[in-house]
Amino acid sequence: MSDKDDVSRAPEKIRLADHRTALVKVERRLVLRSALSLGALSMLAGCDLQDNDSVDKALWAMSRWNDRVQALLFRGDKLAPTYAASQVTNPFPFNAFYDEFNAPDIDGADWQLEVSGLVGDKRPWTLERLRALPQQGQITRHICIEGWSAIGQWSGVPLKRFLQAVGADLSAKYVGFKCADRYYSSLDMPSALHPQTILALDFGKEPLPTSYGYPLKVRVPTKLGFKNPKHVVAIYVSNQNPGGYWEDQGYNWFSGI
Ligand SMILES: Nc1nc2c(c(=O)[nH]1)N[C@H]1C(S)=C(S)[C@@H](COP(=O)(O)O)O[C@H]1N2
Ligand SMILES: [Mo]
């Protein structure tokens, strides 16, 4: 797929965005309508699926099973492909659960990153302190589940480096993120420690623009776009799966390589 295709496909997201929730419902309805799938699902779930509730429960159980299988297959050392600066998609598409003009307008001087959960040092971080940590850049492809992708350049603090700095329990299972716009997401610990997972502060050579997540976006090139939270205000380490905005609406939680 050429970069030109990437840009020309971007407008489609506007139409698809309205149907995200509908798509999840359609998927569910397809299972409900198909006797074979329903029968297979009953067998897997080990019970009779007679009402919508139990079908929902079985689908969720399968999704969790799927997460576990994916986590086992994931070795934590697979690298996402990288690209040349000349391949960066311009303009880069915007996406969120709202329109671009509603993106949170954050004052970097006031902004703080809260840290909680299974960590030794819960002091909040300022942008200045984050910029004093070693920075790492990448040119990688962002892939949105809605059917578009784009190549971008990000740089910032490797999440592993940050987790070490706050004395996080690296044997814990999950790292959760909360955003200024009520978005939230989470990663399994191996993905959080992956060498390409960064707390991105810059997009191109400049601080992240408002639309793309100022002042901090978690860039995880080994995961789908929705697991790359923008406008992050809190990070926490936990053994309970924190879920996510789309993850909790039926999108596969692992969604990565
Ligand atoms: N805070 C926040 N982060 C978010 C989202 C959002 O709505 N709010 N949308 C996600 C989705 S679905 C995508 S595809 C990417 C889009 O990032 P971009 O605007 O930089 O292209 O952000 C992800 N992170
Ligand atoms: Mo997305």
Side-chain angles (χ1 to χ4, degrees):
M1 191 198 300
S2 75
D3 294 332
K4 193 170 162 286
D5 286 336
D6 290 347
V7 176
S8 61
R9 289 181 67 178
E12 235 191 296
K13 78 182 195 287
I14 295 157
R15 188 168 49 78
L16 282 169
D18 302 327
H19 295 106
R20 271 187 286 226
T21 321
L23 276 175
V24 175
K25 286 189 185 132
V26 165
E27 212 176 284
R28 194 178 152 282
R29 223 179 297 138
L30 281 176
V31 174
L32 280 175
R33 215 188 283 151
S34 148
L36 192 65
S37 298
L38 197 55
L41 195 63
S42 303
M43 265 175 61
L44 282 167
C47 62
D48 278 342
L49 301 173
Q50 290 176 346
D51 54 76
N52 287 355
D53 262 14
S54 52
V55 170
D56 271 345
K57 273 188 200 128
L59 283 173
W60 275 106
M62 277 179 65
S63 162
R64 282 196 296 275
W65 175 78
N66 197 14
D67 282 339
R68 280 206 300 276
V69 172
Q70 288 189 68
L72 281 173
L73 293 172
F74 178 76
R75 298 190 314 270
D77 57 0
K78 259 188 222 162
L79 291 181
T82 57
Y83 300 86
S86 60
Q87 291 174 288
V88 166
T89 308
N90 194 6
F92 195 86
F94 163 84
N95 197 26
F97 65 89
Y98 44 75
D99 290 326
E100 188 162 1
F101 63 85
N102 284 322
D105 189 13
I106 294 172
D107 181 351
D110 289 349
W111 177 89
Q112 287 202 318
L113 179 65
E114 278 173 31
V115 185
S116 64
L118 306 171
V119 301
D121 183 355
K122 295 186 177 164
R123 276 179 302 163
W125 285 66
T126 60
L127 274 177
E128 205 183 356
R129 271 180 78 215
L130 283 171
R131 290 215 177 260
L133 287 180
Q135 311 282 304
Q136 179 183 298
Q138 62 176 261
I139 300 177
T140 49
R141 186 185 289 277
H142 170 113
I143 301 165
C144 175
I145 201 166
E146 292 165 40
W148 58 272
S149 81
I151 295 170
Q153 180 172 18
W154 293 270
S155 60
V157 183
L159 180 55
K160 180 179 182 176
R161 184 71 186 67
F162 179 80
L163 291 172
Q164 287 167 339
V166 298
D169 175 359
L170 301 183
S171 70
K173 286 189 178 155
Y174 307 102
V175 181
F177 309 97
K178 291 179 192 164
C179 309
D181 57 5
R182 300 189 336 272
Y183 195 80
Y184 60 106
S185 188
S186 54
L187 294 172
D188 51 291
M189 187 60 82
S191 297
L193 300 177
H194 188 280
Q196 289 174 310
T197 301
I198 62 171
L199 300 177
L201 303 172
D202 290 333
F203 184 68
K205 303 269 183 230
E206 304 292 327
L208 280 166
T210 299
S211 304
Y212 304 130
Y214 185 81
L216 189 153
K217 163 194 169 117
V218 185
R219 175 63 190 141
V220 199
T222 52
K223 297 280 183 191
L224 286 177
F226 71 85
K227 294 195 78 78
N228 287 240
K230 306 189 282 186
H231 313 288
V232 173
V233 292
I235 294 184
Y236 57 105
V237 175
S238 174
N239 278 318
Q240 270 84 54
N241 188 329
Y245 184 91
W246 291 118
E247 291 90 328
D248 293 349
Q249 294 180 57
Y251 282 7
N252 174 255
W253 178 80
F254 194 81
S255 287
I257 59 167

